[in-house]
Structures are given as C-alpha cells and as structure tokens.
Amino acid sequence: MFTYKYSHETGLNLTVGYINANDAVTDVSYTDYGITYTGIDGLTLGYGEGDVEAVTGTKSNENTMFAKYTIGAATVGMQISENNKESASDVETTGVGISYQVNDDLAISYGSNTVETVGSTDQEASAIGVSYTMGSLGLGLSMHQIDNIGHTATNDREGYQLTVAFAF
C-alpha cells in the first residue's frame, strides 16, 4: 500500500492512499483520498472519497463530507455520506449532533442519523444523553430510538442506558 500525507501550516491536510491489485489481497486496485481544513478557529471541514471493489463486479464510489464547529461550550457537527453502487441500490446517510458542556461536571448531547436507500423506507435513529462527573464518580444516562431498522417499517426500537463509572 502507498500512502501520502501532506499538512500545511494554514490548516490544510491531505491524505491519499493506493493499493495495487494483487490476487492474494484484492482483485482490483483501490484509491482513496481525504482532505481536512482547520484554519478557522473552532471550525473543522472535511471530505473524503474512494472507489471500492472488494469483489470483482461490485464497484462503488463512497464519499463523505463533514463540518464541525465549536464555540464556547457548544459543539455542532454534521456529516453527509453517499455510497453509489454500480450493481445495487445507492445509500445516503445524514447525521447531525450537538453537545453542550454546561459546566465542568455536566454535559448534554443530542444526535440523529438517517439512512436512505432507493426504494426503501428510511432508517432513522436519534439519541439524547446526559453525563455528570463528581470527583471520581461518573454518571451517564441516554435514551435511544431507532425507526425502520433494516429499512423495515414495522421494526422500531427504543433503548435506555445508565452508566456508573468509578475512577481509582
């Protein structure tokens, strides 16, 4: 595998990867690249793309882009991804999240994600969480909801999680 990385003082970072076709590993060559930019205080932008063909005849082009911005105690992020397949249905994914550090001990967050496949019901997930730290004790509570699991309209679930952590 060949990998090239470049970083510039302006906050621009580039990574390119290449794997040459080899019957012992893969039947086809594989190339991908990613670029991020962190030159504005609190903002991170990124994009990545690659052609994938793990098995001959199943070629797809995958790409993703994201933006994350932090201002004070709040962070907001969004990511959009696509998997354009030559021999199957395309998949698009959109996710968004926000977190807020209320004080040194308390944080809250919310996130949602939607997976779209052509001709299917969208799979939608969301979660909200709260965490509290008191000395060496950490408490966390989250609630999760997923609708249309596996793109099946009648497959919905909810879940709750309580965590207690002790640091010694």
Side-chain angles (χ1 to χ4, degrees):
M1 177 175 185
F2 168 78
T3 302
Y4 174 77
K5 293 183 179 186
Y6 173 78
S7 295
H8 192 268
E9 62 189 31
T10 60
L12 188 65
N13 300 291
L14 173 68
T15 302
V16 178
Y18 175 78
I19 296 177
N20 193 33
N22 178 347
D23 284 337
V25 179
T26 180
D27 288 335
V28 294
S29 297
Y30 174 85
T31 303
D32 62 4
Y33 69 92
I35 187 166
T36 59
Y37 178 71
T38 58
I40 299 173
D41 193 33
L43 179 67
T44 303
L45 302 172
Y47 179 81
E49 184 173 326
D51 289 329
V52 179
E53 188 172 12
V55 177
T56 303
T58 62
K59 186 175 181 181
S60 66
N61 174 272
E62 298 177 1
N63 62 65
T64 189
M65 66 179 114
F66 73 91
K68 180 178 81 167
Y69 186 66
T70 301
I71 183 167
T75 300
V76 177
M78 181 173 187
Q79 181 170 354
I80 299 171
S81 302
E82 293 182 348
N83 185 349
N84 299 313
K85 302 176 182 180
E86 288 184 355
S87 60
S89 296
D90 296 346
V91 178
E92 295 182 8
T93 306
T94 304
V96 66
I98 185 167
S99 65
Y100 185 73
Q101 188 73 38
V102 178
N103 56 39
D104 288 342
D105 301 322
L106 181 64
I108 57 174
S109 61
Y110 172 80
S112 69
N113 186 293
T114 302
V115 179
E116 300 176 40
T117 300
V118 176
S120 297
T121 306
D122 293 352
Q123 177 177 296
E124 299 173 337
S126 62
I128 188 165
V130 177
S131 66
Y132 183 76
T133 305
M134 182 173 36
S136 63
L137 174 65
L139 301 171
L141 177 64
S142 60
M143 180 181 76
H144 310 260
Q145 180 174 337
I146 305 174
D147 295 331
N148 311 319
I149 298 171
H151 304 284
T152 303
T154 58
N155 195 359
D156 302 338
R157 294 202 181 107
E158 290 182 355
Y160 304 90
Q161 181 175 346
L162 173 65
T163 57
V164 179
F166 298 96
F168 295 97

